[in-house]
Amino acid sequence: MHCPSCQTHDTKVIDSRLLQEGANVRRRRKCDSCGHRFTTYEKFEVHFPTILKRDGRRENFNPKKIMGGLEKAFQKRPISTDNIENILSSLETFLLQLGQKEYHSEQIGTFLMNKINELDTVAFVRFASFYWNYDNIDSFVKGLTNQALKFNRLSSVD
């Protein structure tokens, strides 16, 4: 680290402290040449993967966009905001642990559908309605019935 006083390359770390639940590090440093003391802050940078959309486009992972969809699905449902945030957090952890540079949007959608279905079947149906992007009610009912069997949690839809 360069000394801000004399521009020497060789500085010594005197003290390090974690800030914001370990997301940042504060370091007190001392220059061996001039004795100047200064503080540096380090922030961990996370690079999320690119998302391959159904139409072939590539998009950067956008947690705000996903959170918006989750909030719509759980609107007026008896599920806490913490539970909704935990779904997003578990998705982020899942993506980072696998370590791939790209994911298909279907992988993310399936992951989210499983998590939503565990918490609330009404939110599952709501999320499905805009995630699967059906053109009419009949195709939605057929698709939902097929997915209900797949997810094995919803009762059959008449």
Side-chain angles (χ1 to χ4, degrees), residues 107-126:
Q107 290 173 283
I108 293 171
T110 300
F111 181 90
L112 292 171
M113 294 294 284
N114 284 321
K115 294 293 184 180
I116 293 167
N117 193 39
E118 290 172 10
L119 286 179
D120 188 85
T121 55
V122 172
F124 175 86
V125 172
R126 286 179 181 170

Side-chain angles (χ1 to χ4, degrees), residues 7-46:
Q7 302 303 315
T8 302
H9 294 283
D10 195 24
T11 60
K12 190 184 297 183
V13 175
I14 300 169
D15 181 43
S16 293
R17 294 188 186 192
L18 293 176
L19 304 173
Q20 298 176 349
E21 297 178 15
N24 295 318
V25 178
R26 176 185 174 263
R27 298 195 195 278
R28 287 292 296 153
R29 296 178 179 268
K30 180 181 178 185
C31 177
D32 288 335
S33 296
C34 69
H36 181 73
R37 292 177 180 239
F38 59 101
T39 302
T40 59
Y41 294 91
E42 297 174 18
K43 183 176 181 179
F44 296 105
E45 191 172 296
V46 177

Side-chain angles (χ1 to χ4, degrees), residues 43-88:
K43 183 176 181 179
F44 296 105
E45 191 172 296
V46 177
H47 293 284
F48 284 104
T50 301
I51 308 304
L52 287 159
K53 305 298 273 185
R54 290 181 186 143
D55 62 4
R57 290 179 299 122
R58 285 179 164 74
E59 259 185 30
N60 291 330
F61 178 77
N62 186 350
K64 289 180 183 177
K65 185 175 179 181
I66 293 172
M67 191 61 171
L70 291 172
E71 287 172 345
K72 286 177 191 172
F74 285 102
Q75 188 174 12
K76 296 183 182 178
R77 299 300 302 154
I79 305 297
S80 73
T81 304
D82 286 343
N83 284 336
I84 299 169
E85 289 172 353
N86 286 340
I87 292 174
L88 181 59

